[in-house]
Amino acid sequence: MSWPRRMMGAALVVAVLAVPPWLLATLAGPPLPAWPTAAQLRDWIADPLTAGTLTAGLTTLAWLLWFGLAYTIAVTVARRLRAGTRWLRRLPLPTPWQAAATSMAGAAALTTAHTPTAKPPAPPAPVSVDGLHQQHPDVAWTHTGEGVVVPGGWLPDESAQQVAAAASLVWLRRRRAYQPGHPTTDASQLTPLPDTVTAVQAAVTERQQSAATPGGAPAALPGLGVAFTGGGASDAARGVLVTRLLAALRDPSDTTRVLVTRAALTTLVPDIAAAGSAIPGLRVVETAEQASTLLSEPTRTPPAHGIDADLSELVLITDSLPSAVARRLAVLPLGRATVVTLGAGPLGATWHVDRHGHSRDDRTGQPGPRLCVLDRIAATDLLTVLTHPSPAAPDDAATAPPRADGGRARIPRQPGRDTPHTAWQPSATARGVQLRVLGRPALLVDGQPVAIRRSAALQVLVFLAVHPDGATTTQLVQAIWPGLPAHTVTGRLYTTLSDLRAAIRAATTIPVVGHIDDRYHLDHGHVDVDLWRLHAAAHHAATTHTSPTHQWQNVIDAYAGDLAAGHTWAWVDPPREATRRLVLDAYTTAAAAHTDPHQRLRLLQDALHVDPYNRTLHQLTADQLNALGDPDGAARLLHAYQQRLLLTGIAGGQPTPTPR
């Protein structure tokens, strides 16, 4: 919070505490001027509703309300002061390496204090990383007050938030398409999203945690058209392409946001052009002449309603614009389309764009708006999250309940799943230190939570729980601060680990985080991790030959919620989805092993609570309801499922009950 806001808040509190009692004392007198006499009490009993008694009652009520408000403010201030003193007492002292570095910096300052310089160096821009400011020119993402810098470009805040939303939709589609209980060889279902996307996600999360005010929307283009020139022309055209397609996420599926000639698309993003992937809101035409013909048709798809007029117009991106085509486009009704040309063109304005997105009107010399700029890699990464195949209707074999010899099935191994030592069992020592990562993460010592001040420290614990064999410094840095060069935040990691160890030492003498052979790891002999117990139960259920139903139930009982529930860390989606699929496999396999149809239905309904977006689970549950003679319940279930998909923006592929 800024100092002006702090001063305004303090002034408001003082006014609330001082003005009401002053008014009451001035207008109605003190709260207790004198105790009532016996005669006054008799008069009040005889005639309670007089002007004097009503005034006295209202005055007393006003004083009581003010006393309650003053007490609440005092308790709040005391609690914050007490929290501040606890933080000061626990402020860690510098480590030996930090002390040595400080001493060297001080010596260097004393040595060079009087050395003349011909030109003072330009101060590096501060980069906000997890609450601290680091200064390094090789930043991978940072906020500039109006947008987000990522490897290979710059995006306005609104587009960055749309990237984060598109990334969430990717994982929701993967959840919808997964078929529990069936082996899969498609490793892409758990593949992490591209680096640029994770960098944008981290930047958006950092923005939300710091409560910073979002920046502006993508820059508006001239109504008729604009030609991009300069070193950032192609990057600016990619920015227009990506930002307009991101805005199309809110449109109906048949709305066209961008027309692009095939030559221009090949120049800007050759990988996307070669793949021929369908991207919502994008239509590829062969030539600018074909585009002008489409735009001249009165039946052209109109822009989506309810969207800002600056962003609702259709954009045509072309590598060249013949004069004849320019004349045809110039006579189109205003707002029909905005033409973006790579290089000087005969239509509209001409903007010179540099590598950072700053534009200048070539004709007037006046500075223009800052444009989103993206290089090929960054644009391809961001377009990847917008590309998704149409969901295919599952066949009968894919939607049938899982079966196996003897009524028993094995949980398939999921791609990317990290399996800990299957023989691991918590020792007597480990029962005193528990790490819960399923649900809300927490580190418990003798049942009491350990206060972990840093979000990065909590990420370290969860990341090491997901990787029981340990992780290197580089792996931790790349996961917690995606896109940033490792050498720029290694010191931040060391400070985080030092703070984490200090918090653990204050609660217990049992070692929790170890460091062997350049790998950090959780001590298997001293820490009880619920995720490891879940994997051990799943391995035992998949390999045992006795009481299969009981073993599947042990897997289900070990699941307490999503991995790191409530946290939006960029690295957590793949292991979170892998863990969820492990439990869904257990539910469907246990349901297939049951002979009681009502018990099978209960298990499938419980599985829907774990993943309410999975298509196969709804198919199986609807089939089971039909088998039990409840077709209305099956219809209601499928209708509610379709409505949920519509609300999240991934509608399509509604399951249909299998005829009985």
Side-chain angles (χ1 to χ4, degrees), residues 593-631:
H594 262 290
T595 56
D596 183 358
H598 295 281
Q599 187 69 9
R600 184 182 299 120
L601 176 62
R602 183 189 65 81
L603 286 170
L604 293 174
Q605 289 174 333
D606 290 344
L608 289 178
H609 290 290
V610 175
D611 192 351
Y613 297 97
N614 186 267
R615 180 174 53 203
T616 300
L617 282 179
H618 283 83
Q619 176 76 65
L620 294 172
T621 308
D623 289 348
Q624 193 62 41
L625 286 170
N626 282 325
L628 291 173
D630 188 7

Side-chain angles (χ1 to χ4, degrees), residues 232-298:
S234 296
D235 291 350
R238 294 187 193 95
V240 172
L241 175 67
V242 171
T243 54
R244 297 306 170 107
L245 293 179
L246 285 170
L249 291 173
R250 301 170 295 179
D251 296 343
S253 58
D254 58 347
T255 301
T256 299
R257 281 277 189 167
V258 179
L259 282 174
V260 60
T261 61
R262 190 169 303 278
L265 186 63
T266 303
T267 300
L268 298 176
V269 279
D271 292 341
I272 298 296
S277 303
I279 300 178
L282 177 66
R283 181 169 181 178
V284 181
V285 294
E286 295 301 327
T287 61
E289 289 83 352
Q290 181 183 355
S292 65
T293 302
L294 290 174
L295 293 173
S296 301
E297 296 175 358

Side-chain angles (χ1 to χ4, degrees), residues 174-431:
R174 292 179 177 182
R175 290 172 61 177
R176 178 190 62 180
Y178 178 65
Q179 298 178 7
H182 290 270
T184 177
T185 58
D186 186 6
S188 64
Q189 287 297 307
L190 292 176
T191 301
L193 297 181
D195 293 341
T196 306
V197 178
T198 56
V200 172
Q201 288 179 291
V204 171
T205 301
E206 191 266 350
R207 165 76 73 173
Q208 294 171 347
Q209 292 175 348
S210 63
T213 303
L221 301 176
L224 187 58
V226 61
F228 290 150
T229 62
S234 296
D235 291 350
R238 294 187 193 95
V240 172
L241 175 67
V242 171
T243 54
R244 297 306 170 107
L245 293 179
L246 285 170
L249 291 173
R250 301 170 295 179
D251 296 343
S253 58
D254 58 347
T255 301
T256 299
R257 281 277 189 167
V258 179
L259 282 174
V260 60
T261 61
R262 190 169 303 278
L265 186 63
T266 303
T267 300
L268 298 176
V269 279
D271 292 341
I272 298 296
S277 303
I279 300 178
L282 177 66
R283 181 169 181 178
V284 181
V285 294
E286 295 301 327
T287 61
E289 289 83 352
Q290 181 183 355
S292 65
T293 302
L294 290 174
L295 293 173
S296 301
E297 296 175 358
T299 58
R300 181 182 67 85
T301 303
H305 297 289
I307 301 177
D308 191 326
D310 289 339
L311 292 180
S312 62
E313 60 189 9
L314 189 146
V315 172
L316 167 62
I317 302 177
T318 178
D319 57 332
S320 62
L321 191 64
S323 299
V325 177
R327 287 193 296 270
R328 291 180 60 185
L329 294 174
V331 299
L332 291 177
L334 186 64
R336 197 69 159 168
T338 296
V339 182
V340 174
T341 309
L342 299 177
L347 187 65
T350 301
W351 286 357
H352 183 279
V353 186
D354 64 16
R355 292 289 185 181
H356 303 287
H358 301 289
S359 64
R360 184 186 73 251
D361 194 316
D362 274 351
R363 298 175 183 175
T364 64
Q366 296 296 322
R370 187 174 186 183
L371 304 173
C372 174
V373 285
L374 299 167
D375 64 10
R376 287 186 178 182
I377 297 177
T380 302
D381 285 353
L382 297 181
L383 290 176
T384 299
V385 300
L386 299 178
T387 305
H388 57 89
S390 300
D395 54 20
D396 294 341
T399 57
R403 301 177 181 276
D405 296 338
R408 174 181 164 278
R410 297 178 181 272
I411 295 180
R413 179 180 177 85
Q414 300 301 333
R417 179 177 298 163
D418 294 301
T419 305
H421 303 286
T422 56
W424 177 86
Q425 292 293 335
S427 63
T429 307
R431 300 180 191 279

Side-chain angles (χ1 to χ4, degrees), residues 471-474 494 515-520:
T472 64
T473 300
T474 301
Y494 293 155
H515 186 226
I516 300 176
D517 296 333
D518 195 32
R519 297 182 71 85
Y520 294 94

